[in-house]
């Protein structure tokens, strides 16, 4: 997580294909001597795979359900549950700039500590002087809890029923970048337009505010 003070470059370029230094994770696994011996673990994995293969073959030969799977990533499931939340998006203002104000609340609340934000400062935009120069999520460690969405005061980050195409044999390649998350088009979202419509106050709230003034 990046807690640096904002820089003073208002139009810093978005990140493209930059590689960052390899990270040292706090929960790097420590192997026992049995695991370091290598062969027993390989044989254990083969036994599991063979068992699943034979079970699926049995289902397939007898016409039972559950034998055929999706050949991910070439094939994607089209039957995600409507409530599935598998991919983050960053919402945009009508001019296409990120709605995010780089407040770091999502990164602070994230239990897996997988959000990294580098903020910029634009003195010409007094309404939104801070903005994200770099916003990334490490999907190899995200637990999809949605707390980042709950914590955001700007409705700048959401999760949608999709999965990101981050298939890799190296978990250090599983970072979702800001460009990949900036896909929400406010003009096309009839369900939740931007700016949001003001919610009318209830009678109790109006009375309370009147007393406070
Ligand atoms: S869904 Fe949870 S784990 Fe993933 S980035 Fe958001 S807060 Fe972190
Ligand atoms: S996504 Fe929301 S909570 Fe996270 S830094 Fe941006 S404005 Fe703050």
């Amino acid at each position: 997580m990046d807690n640096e003070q904002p820089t003073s470059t208002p139009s810093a370029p978005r990140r493209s294909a930059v590689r960052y230094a390899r990270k040292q994770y706090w929960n790097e696994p420590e192997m026992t001597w049995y695991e370091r011996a290598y062969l027993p673990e390989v044989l254990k994995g083969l036994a599991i795979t063979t068992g699943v293969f034979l079970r699926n073959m049995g289902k397939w030969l007898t016409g039972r359900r559950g034998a055929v799977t999706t050949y991910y990533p070439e094939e994607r499931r089209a039957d995600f549950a409507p409530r599935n939340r598998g991919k983050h998006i960053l919402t945009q203002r009508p001019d296409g700039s990120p709605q995010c104000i780089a407040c770091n609340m999502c990164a602070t609340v994230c239990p897996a500590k997988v959000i990294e934000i580098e903020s910029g400062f634009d003195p010409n935009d007094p309404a939104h002087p801070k903005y994200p120069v770099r916003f990334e999520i490490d999907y190899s460690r995200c637990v999809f809890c949605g707390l980042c969405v709950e914590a955001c005061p700007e409705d700048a980050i959401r999760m949608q029923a999709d999965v990101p195409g981050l298939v890799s044999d190296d978990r250090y390649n599983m970072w979702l970048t800001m460009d990949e998350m900036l896909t929400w088009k406010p003009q096309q979202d009839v369900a939740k337009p931007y700016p949001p419509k003001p919610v009318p106050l209830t009678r109790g709230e109006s009375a309370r505010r009147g007393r406070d003034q």
Side-chain angles (χ1 to χ4, degrees):
M1 197 185 325
D2 196 332
N3 290 326
E4 287 178 10
Q5 291 301 310
T7 62
S8 58
T9 48
S11 58
R14 285 177 186 160
R15 179 198 166 195
S16 53
V18 182
R19 290 298 300 265
Y20 292 89
R22 190 179 176 91
K23 291 173 188 303
Q24 187 70 38
Y25 287 96
W26 64 271
N27 57 350
E28 293 274 358
E30 285 218 6
M31 288 194 286
T32 62
W33 68 267
Y34 181 76
E35 288 166 336
R36 278 200 300 272
Y38 186 69
L39 212 50
E41 288 296 295
V42 171
L43 292 175
K44 210 160 88 182
L46 279 175
I48 293 170
T49 310
T50 309
V52 172
F53 171 73
L54 292 175
R55 203 163 54 240
N56 279 349
M57 279 298 285
K59 284 181 184 172
W60 186 64
L61 289 172
T62 53
R64 280 179 291 159
R65 289 186 64 189
V68 180
T69 60
T70 305
Y71 296 105
Y72 187 84
E74 289 81 10
E75 289 176 15
R76 300 289 186 94
R77 289 181 62 160
D79 58 345
F80 286 125
R83 292 182 188 168
N84 172 286
R85 295 290 176 264
K87 185 185 175 191
H88 295 77
I89 53 168
L90 289 174
T91 59
Q92 300 167 50
R93 300 194 182 99
D95 65 2
S97 61
Q99 201 155 297
C100 172
I101 55 169
C103 67
N104 254 325
M105 286 183 70
C106 54
T108 305
V109 79
C110 174
K113 304 296 175 208
V114 299
I115 303 180
E116 292 203 1
I117 303 165
E118 189 181 329
S119 58
F121 179 65
D122 183 0
N124 299 318
D125 185 358
H128 317 101
K130 271 181 81 179
Y131 66 95
V133 176
R134 184 168 70 88
F135 192 118
E136 293 179 345
I137 299 179
D138 180 359
Y139 265 57
S140 70
R141 294 184 296 143
C142 173
V143 295
F144 302 96
C145 62
L147 286 177
C148 49
V149 179
E150 298 293 327
C152 180
E154 292 289 315
D155 188 21
I157 185 166
R158 299 183 190 175
M159 294 175 79
Q160 59 181 177
D162 195 1
V163 288
L166 293 173
V167 181
S168 172
D169 57 4
D170 182 351
R171 65 177 177 165
Y172 295 95
N173 289 336
M174 296 178 72
W175 286 77
L176 199 64
T177 63
M178 189 160 84
D179 287 345
E180 289 161 293
M181 282 185 273
L182 275 171
T183 52
W184 181 68
K185 303 290 180 215
Q187 290 83 355
Q188 296 165 11
D189 192 340
V190 288
K192 205 164 185 185
Y194 181 84
K197 289 188 185 136
V199 181
L201 296 177
T202 62
R203 200 181 302 169
E205 285 169 333
S206 307
R208 202 163 47 247
R209 290 202 180 182
R211 275 199 308 274
D212 293 344
Q213 283 169 2

